Amino acid sequence: IDLAEEAADRAARRAPRDAGAWERLGRLRLQLVDREGALKAFERALALGATGEVQALVDQALALEPRLASAS
């Protein structure tokens, strides 16, 4: 999954105006329990007009304990 996160990061940076790319990056970072990284990606996706479950994903990332996320 780490390689998938790296690929998603590259894809989002190559297409910085693609909300879907940022959402995918956020989802992968959330699976990796990278709270801050996930939040940044989701915020970017929302700023670019993402809809649907992105806000629910933000809420899920916010629910992670910051100290647990940093311990991973």
Side-chain angles (χ1 to χ4, degrees):
I1 202 163
D2 287 330
L3 292 175
E5 189 267 341
E6 289 174 23
D9 184 59
R10 282 192 307 271
R13 293 186 189 288
R14 275 189 295 231
R17 296 183 188 273
D18 181 354
W22 289 101
E23 180 182 345
R24 285 186 292 280
L25 178 59
R27 285 175 181 273
L28 283 165
R29 287 180 173 169
L30 190 59
Q31 287 182 328
L32 292 168
V33 195
D34 175 1
R35 179 182 191 261
E36 294 305 314
L39 286 171
K40 287 178 185 177
F42 291 142
E43 287 169 3
R44 184 77 178 262
L46 287 169
L48 292 169
T51 58
E53 356 178 342
V54 177
Q55 188 58 54
L57 292 166
V58 168
D59 294 341
Q60 189 177 354
L62 287 171
L64 289 174
E65 292 283 333
R67 67 175 181 268
L68 291 178
S70 6
S72 302

